[in-house]
Amino acid sequence: MPQLGETVTEGTITRWLKQVGEPIGQDEVLFEVSTDKVDSEVPSPSAGYLSEILVPEGDTVDVGARLAVISPEPPSGASGGDGAGAAVAPERTEAPETPPAPPEPAPAPPEPATAQAPAAPAPPAPEPAPAQAPRPSATDAPTDGQGGGGQVLSPVVRRLLAEHDLDPSEIRGTGAGDRITRADVLAVIDARSGGGEAPARPVPARPAPSRTAPAPPAAPPPLPSRPQVVATPTGERDEVIPFSNIRRRTAEHMVRSKATSAHTLVAVEADFEAVDRVRGAERERFRAEEGISLTYLPFVARATIEALRAFPHLNASVGDDALIVHHDLHLGIAVDLDAEGLIVPVIHYADGKRLPVLGREAADLASRARERRLGADDIAGGTFTITNPGPFGTLITVPIINQPQVGILSTDGVKRRPVVVTLPDGSEGIAIHSVGVLALSFDHRAVDGAYASRFLAKLREVIETRDWIQEL
């Protein structure tokens, strides 16, 4: 499993584009993977033939795990056409051959019991050599007998089901094609806290006791599954919608962030009248030249860059008893994926870019994010994030910090309001201006409220006083 982002630790195989036995060229797309950050097509690192698929569609594995084997020659036995089963077929012919001999003498004498006892250990002996492929074959029958209904289950899922005495027909799969994934089973195991005793019953003949011991530690990794509403009573009119992969990963990331950072909020009102005047005068020309609308976002992004230059400790990460200040600004822009989840593509080296470029890149990243066309580089390396719920008319938003950053800025709705202004003669008057709230969530481990407040004051000053026509 490739590293698809600096904070990505695992990925889910959503689709294999090649089958066992098929040729593949270097850099030709081999499979699709979904992570908490992005859905990506992964190219083959070399040319050859796909000789073995080690991780089926729908399974989630850690970064660095082996997914498949590519060989320079076609795999033996795969040229016959049944490519997908090439690696498993030899196992199934060996496994049946061992049992047929003992079963014949078994019926007549009372020795069948002793004949069957050696027969059970026989398959495990040859199986260790071919890795993990044989074990799934040996457990296929028992799994179906427990109500599997012929579902295609990964070896890890079959083992967990057997050890915890679970019926797969009662588990709703969230993987590709409703496949039951490891996370689905672990969520059920975690929900029924008394499940530790179950493994003793289903697998007495196998070395279940020794494999049951490691099973409990496997449950803790997906911590976000614990707050699931499994115990909540549901009525006939209630609808249970399983989390999608990106929804689940977004939830995990948000919970982890709240557990990591000392979240604190500061907010200010900003007068966007100077911005609005420029937007009104330049809107049509900008759309004609750039092909996109001139929104508030690039103005706020440009002002944020200026403010972070003055207050660099918010363009940082918390290290081991130290603050790591980043002298390059890689600006993340949070994008809503049609209510399915959030993703934060990054404008790299934003501190060297002017307003039109920021507007173009932000629009391009948002478009490609919604079309699932972002690459791993597009979401890597962010040092500060802006989230923009303003188009929905929000008043004030308390965003969650995008780890491992220490600050995230929310730009809320800009509305026409009466404000006090200074007239040319020095007196005060009432005018109608465009006003919006800028809200900053910051990590109190990194900076204090006074520093964060001065940052917001600088940001507001840039928005209200900068000669924006010069930027365009």
Side-chain angles (χ1 to χ4, degrees):
M1 174 64 68
Q3 182 76 50
L4 297 173
E6 58 186 350
T7 61
V8 173
T9 59
E10 61 182 11
T12 300
I13 304 299
T14 53
R15 185 162 69 107
W16 285 99
L17 280 77
K18 292 288 183 178
Q19 298 302 317
V20 172
E22 292 184 352
I24 185 167
Q26 185 172 2
D27 295 329
E28 185 179 357
V29 177
L30 179 58
F31 63 91
E32 294 177 353
V33 60
S34 177
T35 73
D36 59 333
K37 299 290 186 184
V38 68
D39 293 345
S40 300
E41 294 180 338
V42 179
S44 173
S46 60
Y49 292 85
L50 184 59
S51 60
E52 189 177 2
I53 291 177
L54 303 177
V55 178
E57 293 177 359
D59 272 18
T60 301
V61 294
D62 293 334
V63 167
R66 292 180 70 214
L67 303 179
V69 177
I70 297 174
S71 58
E73 302 294 335
S76 58
S79 53
D82 189 12
V88 185
E91 308 298 336
R92 297 201 170 166
T93 50
E94 283 179 25
E97 283 173 13
T98 313
E104 293 184 12
E111 298 173 18
T114 43
Q116 276 184 335
E127 283 172 14
Q132 294 182 350
R135 288 180 184 164
S137 306
T139 52
D140 274 347
T143 304
D144 292 340
Q146 293 171 1
Q151 295 185 51
V152 179
L153 305 173
S154 73
V156 174
V157 169
R158 281 199 295 269
R159 177 176 63 80
L160 288 172
L161 290 171
E163 291 179 356
H164 293 272
D165 194 19
L166 295 175
D167 185 349
S169 65
E170 297 177 356
I171 299 176
R172 186 167 184 177
T174 61
D178 295 330
R179 183 195 295 265
I180 298 174
T181 66
R182 173 176 174 271
D184 298 329
V185 181
L186 289 176
V188 175
I189 294 171
D190 202 41
R192 56 169 234 186
S193 54
E197 303 174 1
R201 290 180 296 170
V203 210
R206 292 192 296 160
S210 60
R211 283 159 63 166
T212 305
L223 291 175
S225 65
R226 295 195 171 182
Q228 274 190 330
V229 290
V230 179
T232 302
T234 56
E236 293 181 359
R237 293 181 55 79
D238 293 336
E239 180 183 6
V240 178
I241 303 176
F243 279 175
S244 64
N245 184 55
I246 192 167
R247 179 73 267 158
R248 187 184 306 115
R249 301 306 176 79
T250 300
E252 291 173 5
H253 191 58
M254 295 298 98
V255 170
R256 188 182 306 120
S257 180
K258 293 290 283 187
T260 300
S261 295
H263 279 68
T264 313
L265 178 77
V266 289
V268 296
E269 275 193 337
D271 190 330
F272 282 82
E273 190 64 17
V275 172
D276 248 3
R277 290 196 189 107
V278 173
R279 288 179 66 237
E282 299 291 323
R283 181 182 286 116
E284 296 305 321
R285 182 189 64 81
F286 190 85
R287 181 186 292 276
E289 292 181 2
E290 304 291 344
I292 56 174
S293 298
L294 184 58
T295 66
Y296 291 107
L297 180 59
F299 291 90
V300 174
R302 190 71 184 86
T304 299
I305 292 168
E306 291 298 316
L308 287 174
R309 283 176 180 163
F311 296 91
H313 288 190
L314 284 168
N315 187 47
S317 302
V318 174
D320 184 12
D321 197 29
L323 185 68
I324 303 167
V325 179
H326 308 297
H327 292 293
D328 290 321
L329 172 55
H330 305 304
L331 189 61
I333 306 293
V335 177
D336 169 54
L337 300 179
D338 299 323
E340 292 182 11
L342 289 173
I343 194 167
V344 185
V346 177
I347 301 175
H348 293 97
Y349 300 101
D351 44 340
K353 297 175 179 177
R354 296 181 68 82
L355 190 148
V357 179
L358 293 171
R360 272 200 310 271
E361 292 198 21
D364 174 63
L365 289 170
S367 174
R368 288 194 287 125
R370 295 188 178 101
E371 295 170 3
R372 307 299 197 272
R373 292 191 296 110
L374 289 177
D377 292 342
D378 294 322
I379 48 113
T383 58
F384 188 88
T385 295
I386 295 176
T387 181
N388 181 34
F392 305 106
T394 55
L395 175 61
I396 184 170
T397 302
V398 185
I400 296 177
I401 296 168
N402 184 23
Q403 296 298 323
Q405 300 165 23
V406 300
I408 179 171
L409 177 73
S410 173
T411 60
D412 288 283
V414 176
K415 300 177 181 178
R416 302 292 287 174
R417 295 180 187 168
V419 297
V420 177
V421 296
T422 302
L423 301 176
D425 62 0
S427 62
E428 292 182 336
I430 301 295
I432 305 298
H433 282 190
S434 296
V435 178
V437 173
L438 302 169
L440 174 74
S441 285
F442 68 94
D443 189 340
H444 216 317
R445 298 177 303 165
V447 298
D448 293 326
Y451 190 91
S453 298
R454 288 199 294 270
F455 163 79
L456 277 186
K458 177 65 175 179
L459 176 61
R460 176 177 58 192
E461 176 191 336
V462 175
I463 288 175
E464 293 180 349
T465 63
R466 192 175 188 86
D467 184 359
W468 290 111
I469 198 70
Q470 294 281 335
E471 285 283 336
L472 294 171

